[in-house]
Amino acid sequence: MIDNHTRRTDRLLLRPPMLEDLPFLTELFAKPELVAHRPVPQPDSPEESAARLARDMAHWKQHGFGRFAVVAGGELIGFGGVTVSNEFDALNLSYHLDPRSWGHGYATELVSGILAFAFNELGARRIIGLVRPANPASRRVLEKCGFGFERELMLHGAPTNLYSLLSPSSG
């Protein structure tokens, strides 16, 4: 599916999520390595995964952007993008990649592509990334992409580091 919402990086195809992604999403959020950095490190139930996908699809419908399904080499490897945040005056960057795809530079490539999209096409002024202190790999991805540490906060009952990045044109 190639449409006006689809984007490409060097190795990745980014497309809006579809109902057909639910089996992969359910499997992804059942992986212990992936959920280890959540406030409650437990896998999502199939119902929670279905609700997550429904929220992502609704965000796309309401705003015209959101978390993309991330495809590498013809295979779905995860999800990532920016969403409107009701808690922060910024777009919220998030991504979740299959642990089998870790260590190949996909996260950095994905975040770089999302930043270009958000700043150049959406006109975003500020983007935040929320990272648990116990997740140094995610912190390194944000730092490589230009994010700076802003502050620590409690989010969903767990200490969380807020990183932010201002639009290159804002300053």
Side-chain angles (χ1 to χ4, degrees):
M1 172 184 96
I2 302 291
D3 63 24
N4 64 343
H5 294 301
T6 301
R7 302 289 178 274
R8 289 188 183 278
T9 66
D10 287 344
R11 300 177 296 161
L12 304 173
L13 172 73
L14 311 177
R15 62 160 172 79
M18 305 181 293
L19 283 176
E20 293 83 0
D21 298 332
L22 184 57
F24 175 85
L25 181 71
T26 302
E27 181 184 313
L28 181 66
F29 278 90
K31 293 184 183 274
E33 311 96 310
L34 186 95
V35 300
H37 302 293
R38 298 169 78 185
V40 178
Q42 295 176 353
D44 282 355
S45 69
E47 295 78 17
E48 289 167 324
S49 290
R52 176 185 300 276
L53 182 59
R55 282 190 308 272
D56 281 351
M57 292 172 69
H59 191 282
W60 271 96
K61 190 172 185 176
Q62 181 179 358
H63 300 285
F65 67 92
R67 271 187 281 274
F68 292 96
V70 180
V71 178
E75 298 290 324
L76 185 59
I77 63 165
F79 298 88
V82 288
T83 53
V84 173
S85 170
N86 295 322
E87 298 175 60
F88 305 98
D89 182 27
L91 292 179
N92 183 21
L93 169 75
S94 63
Y95 59 92
H96 306 283
L97 298 179
D98 189 311
R100 293 174 294 196
S101 70
W102 294 357
H104 299 283
Y106 290 135
T108 301
E109 184 174 333
L110 171 63
V111 170
S112 295
I114 290 168
L115 293 176
F117 166 71
F119 288 134
N120 300 334
E121 296 183 48
L122 300 178
R125 294 184 346 265
R126 180 172 173 254
I127 298 174
I128 62 160
L130 301 164
V131 180
R132 304 284 177 220
N135 191 349
S138 211
R139 184 200 70 219
R140 282 191 301 273
V141 168
L142 293 182
E143 290 171 345
K144 270 194 253 180
C145 292
F147 282 78
F149 175 79
E150 193 170 298
R151 70 182 190 269
E152 186 176 292
L153 51 95
M154 290 298 285
L155 190 65
H156 308 294
T160 303
N161 291 328
L162 186 146
Y163 286 79
S164 65
L165 181 62
L166 294 177
S167 168
S169 65
S170 69

